Amino acid sequence: MTDEARQLSCQTDDMLMIHTVFRREFRLAGPMVRHVDTGDTAQAARVATYLAEIVTALHHHHHNEDEIIWDTLVDRSPGCALHVGQMKAQHAEVSDLLDRVDGLIPAWAPTADAESRDRLASAVEAVSTALDAHLGQEEEVILPVAATSFTQAEWDRLGEAGMASVPRNRLLVQLGYLMEDATPEQRAMVMAHVPLAARLLYRAVGRRQYEKEIRTLRAPV
């Protein structure tokens, strides 16, 4: 094995964790909207704020992939070009669906009326369906090739860009969402990259903030 081949190796498990969060949150978001009682504008406002956050987060995630992954992947693994083209097309499809959700939120939140609520919930559910298909294909055909096409430092740029897009006052709560379905090994991997002060803050404050938030937002299952 050449030195270059040894260098082009990275761990992509962090992407699986991010995908788990997006799958779960968009799957739960439709019922979250439908569970808001007609006229309950306070709860509608809370749900709308969170919906806007995950829509923005997914837009950022896909933009970062577009900027950091695709061209390099095709340059180093030309046989992946067809799959990269499919990823780009799927990103465009999901972006259009996210824009629809974004446009429906302001029509619903101020009044919490039933008709707007149902339109919004259906739009969110359409995102969830498209996202499940996209992420499954990305995990199957992109991540194995990426693992031998990037250095770890290059791959880590994706996580750094994602972290930079999270508002500072949401970092600890977002860590809770990331940890929710993580394995013990994944939790250890994440915490190894979190500064000590932030780990202490998460244990003292952030985890409780996250737990309170999901109790407030999520519909009973």
Side-chain angles (χ1 to χ4, degrees):
M1 183 182 291
T2 66
D3 289 342
E4 182 181 11
R6 289 193 190 94
Q7 188 181 27
L8 292 178
S9 175
C10 64
Q11 294 292 325
T12 60
D13 287 354
D14 56 336
M15 184 70 83
L16 297 176
M17 294 182 69
I18 296 298
H19 284 185
T20 295
V21 174
F22 281 128
R23 276 194 184 98
R24 182 188 66 233
E25 295 309 311
F26 277 96
R27 173 174 52 82
L28 295 175
M32 187 188 300
V33 172
R34 293 191 189 280
H35 189 66
V36 177
D37 291 333
T38 301
D40 188 349
T41 55
Q43 182 65 2
R46 286 187 285 268
V47 171
T49 296
Y50 185 63
L51 270 183
E53 180 175 87
I54 62 172
V55 164
T56 299
L58 186 53
H59 270 309
H60 279 304
H61 177 69
H62 281 175
H63 172 76
N64 292 336
E65 288 184 330
D66 293 342
E67 292 291 309
I68 295 170
I69 296 180
W70 306 139
D71 289 347
T72 299
L73 193 61
V74 171
D75 285 344
R76 294 178 184 171
S77 301
C80 205
L82 176 62
H83 293 310
V84 167
Q86 292 170 339
M87 293 295 104
K88 290 179 178 180
Q90 289 169 8
H91 277 194
E93 176 193 1
V94 171
S95 181
D96 287 345
L97 293 170
L98 290 173
D99 287 345
R100 174 163 171 74
V101 170
D102 221 14
L104 290 171
I105 291 172
W108 169 65
T111 60
D113 67 286
E115 185 177 349
S116 297
R117 177 194 63 207
D118 293 344
R119 279 200 301 268
L120 177 58
S122 294
V124 172
E125 288 157 2
V127 173
S128 181
T129 298
L131 191 60
D132 282 347
H134 165 63
L135 297 181
Q137 186 175 351
E138 185 175 306
E139 290 164 5
E140 181 180 351
V141 302
I142 296 294
L143 293 190
V145 181
T148 58
S149 301
F150 289 83
T151 67
Q152 192 63 53
E154 289 172 334
W155 184 259
D156 288 346
R157 286 181 56 214
L158 196 61
E160 291 162 3
M163 186 68 69
S165 70
V166 179
R168 291 183 63 84
N169 68 336
R170 293 292 293 168
L171 284 169
L172 293 176
V173 176
Q174 288 299 321
L175 184 56
Y177 284 98
L178 188 63
M179 293 297 209
E180 181 173 337
D181 291 320
T183 66
E185 294 77 16
Q186 288 172 330
R187 291 190 183 101
M189 177 185 71
V190 170
M191 284 303 188
H193 291 87
V194 176
L196 176 60
R199 292 202 301 269
L200 294 174
L201 275 173
Y202 172 70
R203 290 165 184 156
V205 179
R207 184 163 52 198
R208 287 201 296 272
Q209 290 176 334
Y210 146 76
E211 290 170 349
K212 179 181 178 181
E213 180 167 296
I214 64 171
R215 284 195 304 269
T216 301
L217 290 173
R218 290 183 182 171
V221 293

